[in-house]
């Protein structure tokens, strides 16, 4: 997810009970990668985003097998 503008975004995937916040900074594009392994991802779902009016955001969402971790322990991000 990417965002720009002062404020906090809340992302929710209600069908699998996952939520997370993202703090956005004025005059800076912030990029965050989240990968969550949960049961029930074979069902349809809805993702919602709440953001203040001054925050611009974009998101890419995928569903599938978990990405493998590299040697440093960091996941290869999918959102």
């Amino acid at each position: 997810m990417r965002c720009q503008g002062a404020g906090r975004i809340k992302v929710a995937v209600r069908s699998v009970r996952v939520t997370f916040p993202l703090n956005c900074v004025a005059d800076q594009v912030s990029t965050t990668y989240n990968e969550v392994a949960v049961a029930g991802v074979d069902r349809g779902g809805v993702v919602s985003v709440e953001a203040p009016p001054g925050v611009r955001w974009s998101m890419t969402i995928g569903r599938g097998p978990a990405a493998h971790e590299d040697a440093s322990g960091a996941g290869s991000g999918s959102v």
Side-chain angles (χ1 to χ4, degrees), residues 10 12-19 43 45-50:
K10 178 184 174 188
V13 187
R14 289 182 185 87
S15 59
V16 292
R17 295 185 177 139
V18 172
T19 63
R43 299 182 309 229
V46 175
V47 174
S48 64
V49 177
E50 295 177 25

Side-chain angles (χ1 to χ4, degrees), residues 3 5 8 22 26 35 37 49 51 60 78:
C3 66
R8 184 178 188 125
L22 177 62
E35 183 174 323
V49 177
T60 302
S78 66

Side-chain angles (χ1 to χ4, degrees), residues 26-75:
D27 301 323
Q28 181 179 352
V29 176
S30 303
T31 302
T32 301
Y33 297 95
N34 291 293
E35 183 174 323
V36 181
V38 295
V41 295
D42 54 338
R43 299 182 309 229
V46 175
V47 174
S48 64
V49 177
E50 295 177 25
V55 175
R56 296 175 52 126
W57 60 271
S58 65
M59 177 187 306
T60 302
I61 301 169
R63 179 170 64 180
H68 297 287
E69 289 189 358
D70 62 23
S72 69

